[in-house]
Amino acid sequence: MTLAYLSIVLLLVLFIIPYGMGCILIKSKELCLTWMGGFFVSLCAFEVLALIFHAIYGSLHVMVILWCMSCGSLACLGFFRGKKPDNPLSKIAFSDWSRTEKILLLLATILILLQTLNNVLNTTYRNWDDETYCANAVGSWYTDKVNRCAPQSGIYRNAFYDKKYTLAAWPIYSSMLAVLSHVHPAIIYRTVLPLFEVPFAFFIIYLLLRHFFPNNRSAALLGLLFSQMFIFVAAENSSISKEWWLVANCWTGKALSFHIISPLILWLLFRIESEQSTVERNKLWYVLIAVCGASCLIAASMFMTVPLLLAVWGIFYLLRIKNTRNLLSEFIRLVICAAPTTLCAIILILK
């Protein structure tokens, strides 16, 4: 019964509610963009609520109720009034796939499942930094406060007692799922969420490869297989550190930063530059703004990485734009994308 209830909660929070939000906010013709836009907007909403309730010493349960009401209402509105993707099932139909492509997809899927099971069933990870994040999730759940209990001592602390750990509220997301599912947040954090995080990371790798091989699905699938093997070999033979994030501790904010957020930002930037339709390019920008905003939730390392990534790519992107009017609008959009993480970086530096 607990497993079924947990499955329903995860399905709603990770997929159904974000998809409904995407239908009203992003309105993309692509199924994955619609879901991504809604999912990362939901993370942005969670980050804002988490910071507010952390500052005012508010109740975690009340915060979860507010998040469910706000995101759930948008999702309902999206399902009833939003624009749905055109024939979304046709995008994932296998009728036009060759036999080779189906075999490559099957092999890649098997490797993803094996790695996910390894993370869930066969990974022991002991590290002070990760233990602190997990303790923040557990402490918030037990105290019904949003990260106001020092994980080492259990003593209540002032707001933003450690900005690096309080601004990036990703562990509290596990606390929210624990409140909704009644499953311990440590189990959510280290055992349940990898079931979502590992496949999502490889899906983004596939999206990047499909961008580089738009007319060759076999090459993209083969590249996905090679990337999986490279990750396994590097993790096994690394003599310096066994902290190979996607293999050993995929649930941490740093792992999500560099296996999900950074590659996803790059994919969206590539798509924005190659997209010919102004309407669709605008929707890609909306998703990128949501992803960059949600990166504040994931890890403090994103506070510097996202502005730097946008600056390096943005300089060359703006140099390639010929129209002065477009140059100004694209520059403003890049600034908007970088603003949340830049603000967090300033706050962190001025501690």
Side-chain angles (χ1 to χ4, degrees):
M1 186 66 183
T2 301
L3 182 60
Y5 188 59
L6 174 62
S7 301
I8 293 171
V9 169
L10 293 176
L11 187 64
L12 283 170
V13 173
L14 298 179
F15 297 102
I16 295 177
I17 290 177
Y19 177 72
M21 293 175 67
C23 288
I24 195 68
L25 297 174
I26 307 301
K27 302 179 182 179
S28 173
K29 64 181 181 181
E30 298 180 41
L31 177 65
C32 72
L33 272 182
T34 301
W35 170 78
M36 282 182 190
F39 177 67
F40 285 100
V41 169
S42 74
L43 293 185
C44 290
F46 183 86
E47 170 73 348
V48 172
L49 286 172
L51 292 179
I52 292 173
F53 275 76
H54 169 80
I56 67 174
Y57 198 64
S59 167
L60 174 66
H61 282 73
V62 174
M63 187 197 80
V64 171
I65 292 171
L66 287 177
W67 184 89
C68 291
M69 290 175 61
S70 57
C71 293
S73 298
L74 277 175
C76 291
L77 192 62
F79 282 120
F80 287 108
R81 298 185 59 183
K83 180 180 178 181
K84 311 299 186 298
D86 298 329
N87 299 320
L89 294 179
S90 66
K91 304 294 184 182
I92 56 176
F94 297 104
S95 57
D96 61 336
W97 286 51
S98 68
R99 186 175 182 180
T100 301
E101 291 169 347
K102 291 177 181 178
I103 292 173
L104 290 173
L105 177 62
L106 178 63
L107 291 174
T109 303
I110 290 172
L111 288 177
I112 292 171
L113 289 174
L114 288 174
Q115 182 175 334
T116 304
L117 289 174
N118 180 71
N119 279 92
V120 172
L121 303 175
N122 194 39
T123 299
T124 299
Y125 184 72
R126 288 173 288 184
N127 173 277
W128 180 88
D129 193 49
D130 181 57
E131 289 169 358
T132 301
Y133 282 119
C134 190
N136 286 336
V138 175
S140 299
W141 187 59
Y142 274 113
T143 61
D144 195 34
K145 302 297 177 185
V146 182
N147 196 6
R148 288 295 292 270
C149 178
Q152 295 81 14
S153 62
I155 299 172
Y156 286 106
R157 302 293 298 273
N158 295 328
F160 304 105
Y161 63 92
D162 190 334
K163 293 179 183 177
K164 182 174 69 171
Y165 290 103
T166 53
L167 288 176
W170 173 245
I172 313 305
Y173 194 77
S174 297
S175 302
M176 179 192 72
L177 293 175
V179 169
L180 293 173
S181 66
H182 303 291
V183 175
H184 197 279
I187 298 174
I188 298 286
Y189 186 61
R190 290 181 170 175
T191 303
V192 175
L193 283 178
L195 296 170
F196 167 74
E197 293 158 349
V198 175
F200 191 22
F202 282 113
F203 177 64
I204 295 169
I205 293 175
Y206 176 72
L207 290 178
L208 277 168
L209 290 167
R210 280 293 283 163
H211 178 79
F212 296 131
F213 302 102
N215 301 315
N216 194 336
R217 191 185 289 120
S218 295
L221 290 167
L222 191 60
L224 179 60
L225 282 170
F226 276 123
S227 69
Q228 290 172 305
M229 288 186 284
F230 291 153
I231 289 171
F232 295 152
V233 171
E236 182 65 27
N237 293 282
S238 175
S239 59
I240 299 174
S241 172
K242 290 301 181 183
E243 292 186 31
W244 201 260
W245 286 331
L246 195 58
V247 175
N249 57 328
C250 67
W251 54 80
T252 62
K254 292 182 179 66
L256 300 178
S257 298
F258 301 109
H259 287 290
I260 292 180
I261 301 297
S262 297
L264 183 56
I265 290 175
L266 280 175
W267 177 70
L268 288 167
L269 291 171
F270 293 153
R271 283 287 310 274
I272 285 169
E273 187 163 7
S274 62
E275 181 60 56
Q276 300 300 316
S277 169
T278 302
V279 174
E280 292 304 314
R281 190 185 303 115
N282 289 337
K283 293 173 183 177
L284 288 164
W285 273 113
Y286 298 153
V287 177
L288 180 60
I289 291 170
V291 173
C292 292
S295 64
C296 297
L297 170 74
I298 303 300
S301 53
M302 289 283 92
F303 300 166
M304 302 298 291
T305 303
V306 171
L308 183 61
L309 192 159
L310 292 172
V312 171
W313 182 87
I315 289 171
F316 296 101
Y317 171 61
L318 294 175
L319 288 174
R320 291 190 290 268
I321 296 177
K322 308 298 182 182
N323 190 305
T324 305
R325 183 178 179 182
N326 290 340
L327 178 67
L328 180 60
S329 63
E330 300 296 89
F331 173 75
I332 292 173
R333 287 174 173 179
L334 282 169
V335 170
I336 293 172
C337 288
T341 47
T342 303
L343 178 60
C344 289
I346 294 171
I347 295 172
L348 196 62
I349 292 170
L350 297 178
K351 62 179 179 180

